[in-house]
Amino acid sequence: MLCLRQICLFTLRRYQARTLCSDLLLSQISGCTHEDELFSLVGRNKARLSEKHVGIALNMLWELQKKRPFLLRTSDYVRNHSQFLTLCILAENKVEHMEDEVIVDTLYSILRLNVEDDVSLEKVLVTEAWKRLERQVLLSLPALSKFALCLYKKHRHFSPIMGQVAHIVDMKLDSIQDIRILSVLMISISDVITESFRDRLLHKAEQLLKEKDEVHFNYARRILQFLQNVKLKYHPLLEKCNRIFLESAFHLDIHSISHIFGLYEQLGFDSAEFRLIAKQLLSESIDDYYDPETFAKLFFALGPMAESKVRERLLVTAAHMAEEFSHHQVLMILKTMQKMKCRNSHLLKKMASVLHKHLDSYHALQLVKLTQYLVVLHCQDLELFAKLKMLLLGYLKSSVTPADTTAIIRVLAMLPSFHVEEMIINKAAAVLPQCRLHHLNCIATALVKWNHHGQLHWQNSSELCAKLLQKLNNCGFQRLQKANNLNLLLEELTHVNGEWFEEVLNEETMAMCQDLIDQITWANVLPLSFFLIKSDHRCPALFDRIASVSVANIDKIPPSEIYFILFLFSALNYDPPDNEEFFKSCIQHLTSNLSRLEAYHLVLLGHVLAMAGYFPPVLIKTIFNVSFLSKLDAQLKVLPDTVKQRVHSSLMKLNRAVCLECPEFHIPWFHEPYCQRVFQNSTSRINPQRQHIHRMLTEILGGSHYSGISVLTPYYYEIDFECVLDVNKKPLSYMVQHIPLDGVKGIHLRRDIKDEGRTALPPGAQRIALEFLDSKAFSKDYSRHLKGEPAVKKRHLEMLGYRVVQIPHFEWNSMALSTKGEQLEYLRQQLYGIQ
């Protein structure tokens, strides 16, 4: 018994000593402040290192790197050190004895240290973690999220193990209460989830964002990445994430800002408020970005909204740094130049020169984008285009996917003086049966362009082209006829436009949308409205369904999306059966959410409502307020030029409509300087058609002094022709003066345009405005219905005291008016009101 007690005490002392020694070694590893110190410790204690020591040591190597600025990291040195290989071998041998968290931490550390994919340790760690998941030895949620992220970073998006992770997340979703863990899991499993599971994740994220007072901007950024991965513009989360970015703005660096801008661009979301803060931050620290990577991101984020002096500095620095840019950074610079509409010849030449050495680094779709940027920017480097052509043709020959094939064909059609080879037509014909509608559209657009410019030169090219077009049309019809899901159809229609689709498939598409009318929900009224706006077709059945679904689900539709639904009805001048209820519901939803909308959104909404004859007092008083207009001016400085021009124009038209239709608001007309600038920058509007009609009016009225051509009215409406008839319908002499604006030819200014009141006409006299309406004034369906803008113009001219005579193009160009005499008689009837 005594001997047994002595043996036990000896064993215990040995164990305690070993544990003490082991703990001391663990502390020493954890206390290392430099990689060499850690490697030295590993070298001296190889035989004593347990699986825990090895895991902590690998983790410490990443922690030491993480503390350094990115440019001062020494990952290459660490990976190539002999003791690092020792650690990897030890970890591989001891992996079965590692705890779950140690396995995941080790995998994460070697990932962050950029260890090559062919190192066996990574495969061993993943395999062991997978075994434990299969045995239902579930990792803790933090470990599971880190493991999922490792798989995602290693591009195992669709692997069975990622599916297993998704299954575990599905089962444990209700227990996840940490937005950091949830956001990591969301982006990791985004490629292997169902639509219903996606929606559960979105609602869980909303719930956690509501419950947390402060959320780190990185978590919000991951939520955006998830939305981009699943290609969903989900406004509630977008707006919440944007608010988090605004609150965290002064903690954001250039990498975060450029990433957020990139995600916003891909999601079709914009925030003028975020743009303003980002512009301020980046402009103040512009001198801090001197390496190629950070400068390229600065150029991408700041360039499109920079003012002239900052913009010039960016361009000069980019040209100076051109030789240092990687192939990816060159692509980013050119993309940004396209967005800036910057054709700086010096910078463009520099970029083209650098591209010659980078061309072999691009994959097919990058070359497509690159070619597009260079063409749009009017690059003159013909040698570069020749190289691009050869590379694109090489990719086309080996391409087997419709997306790549059609993208290459589309961009080849953009190349200057391109000689079309028979191989291209044959390649297009081969992929047609697999093509979606927008792929077919790309091929059709290229064929039409090549045919128009006579670029099909080989023997029997016309016959081949005709056969391909016929096959292409048939594939388009078959694609539509097989459609049974409205959401999938609308997804295909998003990027479809151009003459081919309009002439061949538009009517068939409208019919198919009507067949699927029962599938219209609040979630797809926006893409459907987009399509109908783009197609310019007035389809009562679809419009009525959109209106009824919108009214029934108005609280579910984001306020910023209401604009496009309203625009559909206002622009195409259509009143649904319950018109008052529809507009009332939309207006009530908007006015109760004014604080959620950007200043420029409110202006666009105000204008589109005014087109339909609605002027909500709360909205009008909000817009025509000095502090609001100051805020709007600030936002306009950072918005893209196209948006800026649309907002300026909408504000002017809203101002005009309020002055004419709602004088009780006492809003002054303050857009005369803006209107003068617009006309100053415009080209002459007197075309041969107008001159022909004016000569006929002169003949009918008895002299050129009885009518004016291209006349500006009060509030700067331009009308084609104006004349005055007295009480006996005799013409009165029409006195005009040329508007005193340089560069505006043929525009006449009414003498009373600047008067406070109206120049009095003789009793019973009538001012007449004759308007020639071309095809743009009517919807493109067979109804020939007058659209919103010309209808509003008629309404406003009548308020200004005109009798408005509108001459539709389809009447003027009809066979009934094929002779001059018939045209004269038609004009006489319109002018004098003879029936």
PDB file of all heavy atoms in Angstrom, residues 544-568:
ATOM      1  N   ASP A 544     -53.451  48.618 -64.432  1.00  0.00           N
ATOM      2  CA  ASP A 544     -54.494  48.494 -63.411  1.00  0.00           C
ATOM      3  C   ASP A 544     -54.066  47.529 -62.316  1.00  0.00           C
ATOM      4  O   ASP A 544     -54.306  47.763 -61.127  1.00  0.00           O
ATOM      5  CB  ASP A 544     -55.804  48.016 -64.045  1.00  0.00           C
ATOM      6  CG  ASP A 544     -56.409  49.058 -64.984  1.00  0.00           C
ATOM      7  OD1 ASP A 544     -55.940  50.213 -64.957  1.00  0.00           O
ATOM      8  OD2 ASP A 544     -57.321  48.698 -65.745  1.00  0.00           O
ATOM      9  N   ARG A 545     -53.423  46.416 -62.725  1.00  0.00           N
ATOM     10  CA  ARG A 545     -52.961  45.433 -61.743  1.00  0.00           C
ATOM     11  C   ARG A 545     -51.868  46.026 -60.845  1.00  0.00           C
ATOM     12  O   ARG A 545     -51.867  45.829 -59.626  1.00  0.00           O
ATOM     13  CB  ARG A 545     -52.434  44.196 -62.473  1.00  0.00           C
ATOM     14  CG  ARG A 545     -51.779  43.151 -61.597  1.00  0.00           C
ATOM     15  CD  ARG A 545     -52.755  42.418 -60.724  1.00  0.00           C
ATOM     16  NE  ARG A 545     -52.071  41.372 -59.972  1.00  0.00           N
ATOM     17  CZ  ARG A 545     -52.629  40.628 -59.045  1.00  0.00           C
ATOM     18  NH1 ARG A 545     -53.903  40.799 -58.742  1.00  0.00           N
ATOM     19  NH2 ARG A 545     -51.929  39.693 -58.415  1.00  0.00           N
ATOM     20  N   ILE A 546     -50.940  46.768 -61.434  1.00  0.00           N
ATOM     21  CA  ILE A 546     -49.877  47.423 -60.653  1.00  0.00           C
ATOM     22  C   ILE A 546     -50.493  48.375 -59.636  1.00  0.00           C
ATOM     23  O   ILE A 546     -50.085  48.420 -58.467  1.00  0.00           O
ATOM     24  CB  ILE A 546     -48.900  48.168 -61.584  1.00  0.00           C
ATOM     25  CG1 ILE A 546     -48.044  47.164 -62.360  1.00  0.00           C
ATOM     26  CG2 ILE A 546     -47.995  49.118 -60.795  1.00  0.00           C
ATOM     27  CD1 ILE A 546     -47.184  47.788 -63.441  1.00  0.00           C
ATOM     28  N   ALA A 547     -51.488  49.157 -60.075  1.00  0.00           N
ATOM     29  CA  ALA A 547     -52.129  50.124 -59.178  1.00  0.00           C
ATOM     30  C   ALA A 547     -52.824  49.416 -58.013  1.00  0.00           C
ATOM     31  O   ALA A 547     -52.667  49.807 -56.848  1.00  0.00           O
ATOM     32  CB  ALA A 547     -53.128  50.975 -59.955  1.00  0.00           C
ATOM     33  N   SER A 548     -53.589  48.351 -58.308  1.00  0.00           N
ATOM     34  CA  SER A 548     -54.338  47.666 -57.247  1.00  0.00           C
ATOM     35  C   SER A 548     -53.403  46.965 -56.269  1.00  0.00           C
ATOM     36  O   SER A 548     -53.614  47.002 -55.050  1.00  0.00           O
ATOM     37  CB  SER A 548     -55.331  46.671 -57.855  1.00  0.00           C
ATOM     38  OG  SER A 548     -54.654  45.650 -58.566  1.00  0.00           O
ATOM     39  N   VAL A 549     -52.330  46.328 -56.784  1.00  0.00           N
ATOM     40  CA  VAL A 549     -51.362  45.653 -55.913  1.00  0.00           C
ATOM     41  C   VAL A 549     -50.621  46.678 -55.042  1.00  0.00           C
ATOM     42  O   VAL A 549     -50.380  46.443 -53.850  1.00  0.00           O
ATOM     43  CB  VAL A 549     -50.359  44.830 -56.751  1.00  0.00           C
ATOM     44  CG1 VAL A 549     -49.170  44.379 -55.909  1.00  0.00           C
ATOM     45  CG2 VAL A 549     -51.043  43.617 -57.361  1.00  0.00           C
ATOM     46  N   SER A 550     -50.286  47.833 -55.628  1.00  0.00           N
ATOM     47  CA  SER A 550     -49.579  48.874 -54.881  1.00  0.00           C
ATOM     48  C   SER A 550     -50.437  49.409 -53.749  1.00  0.00           C
ATOM     49  O   SER A 550     -49.956  49.602 -52.622  1.00  0.00           O
ATOM     50  CB  SER A 550     -49.169  50.017 -55.820  1.00  0.00           C
ATOM     51  OG  SER A 550     -48.284  49.563 -56.811  1.00  0.00           O
ATOM     52  N   VAL A 551     -51.712  49.655 -54.015  1.00  0.00           N
ATOM     53  CA  VAL A 551     -52.614  50.182 -52.984  1.00  0.00           C
ATOM     54  C   VAL A 551     -52.777  49.162 -51.851  1.00  0.00           C
ATOM     55  O   VAL A 551     -52.724  49.512 -50.669  1.00  0.00           O
ATOM     56  CB  VAL A 551     -53.991  50.539 -53.584  1.00  0.00           C
ATOM     57  CG1 VAL A 551     -55.004  50.841 -52.489  1.00  0.00           C
ATOM     58  CG2 VAL A 551     -53.863  51.732 -54.515  1.00  0.00           C
ATOM     59  N   ALA A 552     -52.927  47.892 -52.212  1.00  0.00           N
ATOM     60  CA  ALA A 552     -53.145  46.844 -51.209  1.00  0.00           C
ATOM     61  C   ALA A 552     -51.905  46.592 -50.349  1.00  0.00           C
ATOM     62  O   ALA A 552     -52.025  46.111 -49.214  1.00  0.00           O
ATOM     63  CB  ALA A 552     -53.574  45.554 -51.900  1.00  0.00           C
ATOM     64  N   ASN A 553     -50.721  46.904 -50.879  1.00  0.00           N
ATOM     65  CA  ASN A 553     -49.465  46.594 -50.167  1.00  0.00           C
ATOM     66  C   ASN A 553     -48.596  47.828 -49.993  1.00  0.00           C
ATOM     67  O   ASN A 553     -47.369  47.712 -49.929  1.00  0.00           O
ATOM     68  CB  ASN A 553     -48.685  45.520 -50.931  1.00  0.00           C
ATOM     69  CG  ASN A 553     -49.444  44.226 -51.095  1.00  0.00           C
ATOM     70  OD1 ASN A 553     -49.431  43.369 -50.225  1.00  0.00           O
ATOM     71  ND2 ASN A 553     -50.123  44.072 -52.232  1.00  0.00           N
ATOM     72  N   ILE A 554     -49.214  48.989 -49.908  1.00  0.00           N
ATOM     73  CA  ILE A 554     -48.446  50.239 -49.960  1.00  0.00           C
ATOM     74  C   ILE A 554     -47.406  50.333 -48.847  1.00  0.00           C
ATOM     75  O   ILE A 554     -46.315  50.870 -49.054  1.00  0.00           O
ATOM     76  CB  ILE A 554     -49.404  51.459 -49.915  1.00  0.00           C
ATOM     77  CG1 ILE A 554     -48.664  52.737 -50.326  1.00  0.00           C
ATOM     78  CG2 ILE A 554     -50.072  51.608 -48.560  1.00  0.00           C
ATOM     79  CD1 ILE A 554     -48.266  52.762 -51.763  1.00  0.00           C
ATOM     80  N   ASP A 555     -47.676  49.774 -47.666  1.00  0.00           N
ATOM     81  CA  ASP A 555     -46.727  49.869 -46.553  1.00  0.00           C
ATOM     82  C   ASP A 555     -45.497  48.988 -46.752  1.00  0.00           C
ATOM     83  O   ASP A 555     -44.486  49.180 -46.077  1.00  0.00           O
ATOM     84  CB  ASP A 555     -47.415  49.490 -45.237  1.00  0.00           C
ATOM     85  CG  ASP A 555     -48.457  50.525 -44.827  1.00  0.00           C
ATOM     86  OD1 ASP A 555     -48.302  51.699 -45.209  1.00  0.00           O
ATOM     87  OD2 ASP A 555     -49.430  50.145 -44.148  1.00  0.00           O
ATOM     88  N   LYS A 556     -45.582  48.023 -47.664  1.00  0.00           N
ATOM     89  CA  LYS A 556     -44.446  47.130 -47.908  1.00  0.00           C
ATOM     90  C   LYS A 556     -43.491  47.696 -48.962  1.00  0.00           C
ATOM     91  O   LYS A 556     -42.356  47.248 -49.074  1.00  0.00           O
ATOM     92  CB  LYS A 556     -44.940  45.756 -48.371  1.00  0.00           C
ATOM     93  CG  LYS A 556     -45.788  45.025 -47.347  1.00  0.00           C
ATOM     94  CD  LYS A 556     -46.297  43.704 -47.921  1.00  0.00           C
ATOM     95  CE  LYS A 556     -47.211  42.985 -46.948  1.00  0.00           C
ATOM     96  NZ  LYS A 556     -47.791  41.757 -47.550  1.00  0.00           N
ATOM     97  N   ILE A 557     -43.960  48.648 -49.747  1.00  0.00           N
ATOM     98  CA  ILE A 557     -43.144  49.189 -50.848  1.00  0.00           C
ATOM     99  C   ILE A 557     -42.270  50.317 -50.308  1.00  0.00           C
ATOM    100  O   ILE A 557     -42.781  51.281 -49.730  1.00  0.00           O
ATOM    101  CB  ILE A 557     -44.032  49.708 -51.993  1.00  0.00           C
ATOM    102  CG1 ILE A 557     -44.921  48.563 -52.517  1.00  0.00           C
ATOM    103  CG2 ILE A 557     -43.190  50.279 -53.120  1.00  0.00           C
ATOM    104  CD1 ILE A 557     -45.932  49.002 -53.560  1.00  0.00           C
ATOM    105  N   PRO A 558     -40.947  50.228 -50.474  1.00  0.00           N
ATOM    106  CA  PRO A 558     -40.065  51.297 -49.983  1.00  0.00           C
ATOM    107  C   PRO A 558     -40.441  52.640 -50.602  1.00  0.00           C
ATOM    108  O   PRO A 558     -40.725  52.712 -51.803  1.00  0.00           O
ATOM    109  CB  PRO A 558     -38.669  50.855 -50.453  1.00  0.00           C
ATOM    110  CG  PRO A 558     -38.785  49.380 -50.644  1.00  0.00           C
ATOM    111  CD  PRO A 558     -40.191  49.132 -51.095  1.00  0.00           C
ATOM    112  N   PRO A 559     -40.463  53.720 -49.816  1.00  0.00           N
ATOM    113  CA  PRO A 559     -40.859  55.037 -50.341  1.00  0.00           C
ATOM    114  C   PRO A 559     -40.058  55.460 -51.572  1.00  0.00           C
ATOM    115  O   PRO A 559     -40.605  56.069 -52.488  1.00  0.00           O
ATOM    116  CB  PRO A 559     -40.590  55.977 -49.155  1.00  0.00           C
ATOM    117  CG  PRO A 559     -40.682  55.105 -47.959  1.00  0.00           C
ATOM    118  CD  PRO A 559     -40.183  53.763 -48.370  1.00  0.00           C
ATOM    119  N   SER A 560     -38.759  55.130 -51.599  1.00  0.00           N
ATOM    120  CA  SER A 560     -37.932  55.538 -52.739  1.00  0.00           C
ATOM    121  C   SER A 560     -38.338  54.830 -54.024  1.00  0.00           C
ATOM    122  O   SER A 560     -38.037  55.300 -55.123  1.00  0.00           O
ATOM    123  CB  SER A 560     -36.457  55.284 -52.449  1.00  0.00           C
ATOM    124  OG  SER A 560     -36.248  53.935 -52.091  1.00  0.00           O
ATOM    125  N   GLU A 561     -39.026  53.661 -53.914  1.00  0.00           N
ATOM    126  CA  GLU A 561     -39.461  52.942 -55.107  1.00  0.00           C
ATOM    127  C   GLU A 561     -40.808  53.437 -55.620  1.00  0.00           C
ATOM    128  O   GLU A 561     -41.174  53.174 -56.768  1.00  0.00           O
ATOM    129  CB  GLU A 561     -39.537  51.434 -54.814  1.00  0.00           C
ATOM    130  CG  GLU A 561     -38.174  50.794 -54.593  1.00  0.00           C
ATOM    131  CD  GLU A 561     -38.239  49.282 -54.484  1.00  0.00           C
ATOM    132  OE1 GLU A 561     -39.357  48.726 -54.533  1.00  0.00           O
ATOM    133  OE2 GLU A 561     -37.172  48.654 -54.337  1.00  0.00           O
ATOM    134  N   ILE A 562     -41.548  54.146 -54.765  1.00  0.00           N
ATOM    135  CA  ILE A 562     -42.851  54.682 -55.178  1.00  0.00           C
ATOM    136  C   ILE A 562     -42.681  55.609 -56.382  1.00  0.00           C
ATOM    137  O   ILE A 562     -43.545  55.683 -57.257  1.00  0.00           O
ATOM    138  CB  ILE A 562     -43.509  55.446 -54.009  1.00  0.00           C
ATOM    139  CG1 ILE A 562     -43.864  54.483 -52.867  1.00  0.00           C
ATOM    140  CG2 ILE A 562     -44.748  56.195 -54.463  1.00  0.00           C
ATOM    141  CD1 ILE A 562     -45.005  53.554 -53.166  1.00  0.00           C
ATOM    142  N   TYR A 563     -41.533  56.322 -56.428  1.00  0.00           N
ATOM    143  CA  TYR A 563     -41.300  57.275 -57.519  1.00  0.00           C
ATOM    144  C   TYR A 563     -41.457  56.619 -58.878  1.00  0.00           C
ATOM    145  O   TYR A 563     -42.120  57.166 -59.771  1.00  0.00           O
ATOM    146  CB  TYR A 563     -39.905  57.887 -57.384  1.00  0.00           C
ATOM    147  CG  TYR A 563     -39.440  58.612 -58.625  1.00  0.00           C
ATOM    148  CD1 TYR A 563     -39.968  59.849 -58.972  1.00  0.00           C
ATOM    149  CD2 TYR A 563     -38.497  58.034 -59.478  1.00  0.00           C
ATOM    150  CE1 TYR A 563     -39.562  60.520 -60.115  1.00  0.00           C
ATOM    151  CE2 TYR A 563     -38.091  58.687 -60.628  1.00  0.00           C
ATOM    152  CZ  TYR A 563     -38.616  59.928 -60.942  1.00  0.00           C
ATOM    153  OH  TYR A 563     -38.226  60.564 -62.085  1.00  0.00           O
ATOM    154  N   PHE A 564     -40.858  55.447 -59.066  1.00  0.00           N
ATOM    155  CA  PHE A 564     -40.875  54.811 -60.386  1.00  0.00           C
ATOM    156  C   PHE A 564     -42.262  54.299 -60.749  1.00  0.00           C
ATOM    157  O   PHE A 564     -42.640  54.297 -61.921  1.00  0.00           O
ATOM    158  CB  PHE A 564     -39.841  53.679 -60.425  1.00  0.00           C
ATOM    159  CG  PHE A 564     -38.435  54.160 -60.255  1.00  0.00           C
ATOM    160  CD1 PHE A 564     -37.805  54.055 -59.023  1.00  0.00           C
ATOM    161  CD2 PHE A 564     -37.761  54.755 -61.305  1.00  0.00           C
ATOM    162  CE1 PHE A 564     -36.506  54.523 -58.850  1.00  0.00           C
ATOM    163  CE2 PHE A 564     -36.460  55.217 -61.144  1.00  0.00           C
ATOM    164  CZ  PHE A 564     -35.845  55.107 -59.920  1.00  0.00           C
ATOM    165  N   ILE A 565     -43.025  53.867 -59.731  1.00  0.00           N
ATOM    166  CA  ILE A 565     -44.397  53.439 -59.993  1.00  0.00           C
ATOM    167  C   ILE A 565     -45.244  54.645 -60.402  1.00  0.00           C
ATOM    168  O   ILE A 565     -46.004  54.590 -61.376  1.00  0.00           O
ATOM    169  CB  ILE A 565     -44.978  52.733 -58.750  1.00  0.00           C
ATOM    170  CG1 ILE A 565     -44.158  51.470 -58.453  1.00  0.00           C
ATOM    171  CG2 ILE A 565     -46.449  52.385 -58.965  1.00  0.00           C
ATOM    172  CD1 ILE A 565     -44.459  50.833 -57.115  1.00  0.00           C
ATOM    173  N   LEU A 566     -45.097  55.748 -59.673  1.00  0.00           N
ATOM    174  CA  LEU A 566     -45.827  56.971 -60.027  1.00  0.00           C
ATOM    175  C   LEU A 566     -45.401  57.497 -61.390  1.00  0.00           C
ATOM    176  O   LEU A 566     -46.225  57.986 -62.168  1.00  0.00           O
ATOM    177  CB  LEU A 566     -45.591  58.050 -58.959  1.00  0.00           C
ATOM    178  CG  LEU A 566     -46.249  57.824 -57.602  1.00  0.00           C
ATOM    179  CD1 LEU A 566     -45.756  58.852 -56.598  1.00  0.00           C
ATOM    180  CD2 LEU A 566     -47.768  57.883 -57.726  1.00  0.00           C
ATOM    181  N   PHE A 567     -44.096  57.390 -61.665  1.00  0.00           N
ATOM    182  CA  PHE A 567     -43.583  57.880 -62.953  1.00  0.00           C
ATOM    183  C   PHE A 567     -44.240  57.138 -64.115  1.00  0.00           C
ATOM    184  O   PHE A 567     -44.540  57.723 -65.151  1.00  0.00           O
ATOM    185  CB  PHE A 567     -42.062  57.692 -63.002  1.00  0.00           C
ATOM    186  CG  PHE A 567     -41.423  58.279 -64.232  1.00  0.00           C
ATOM    187  CD1 PHE A 567     -41.036  59.598 -64.265  1.00  0.00           C
ATOM    188  CD2 PHE A 567     -41.213  57.502 -65.367  1.00  0.00           C
ATOM    189  CE1 PHE A 567     -40.455  60.142 -65.408  1.00  0.00           C
ATOM    190  CE2 PHE A 567     -40.636  58.021 -66.502  1.00  0.00           C
ATOM    191  CZ  PHE A 567     -40.264  59.361 -66.522  1.00  0.00           C
ATOM    192  N   LEU A 568     -44.455  55.829 -63.938  1.00  0.00           N
ATOM    193  CA  LEU A 568     -45.097  55.038 -64.985  1.00  0.00           C
ATOM    194  C   LEU A 568     -46.456  55.628 -65.357  1.00  0.00           C
ATOM    195  O   LEU A 568     -46.763  55.815 -66.542  1.00  0.00           O
ATOM    196  CB  LEU A 568     -45.262  53.596 -64.501  1.00  0.00           C
ATOM    197  CG  LEU A 568     -46.054  52.645 -65.403  1.00  0.00           C
ATOM    198  CD1 LEU A 568     -45.322  52.411 -66.709  1.00  0.00           C
ATOM    199  CD2 LEU A 568     -46.314  51.320 -64.694  1.00  0.00           C
TER     200      LEU A 568
END
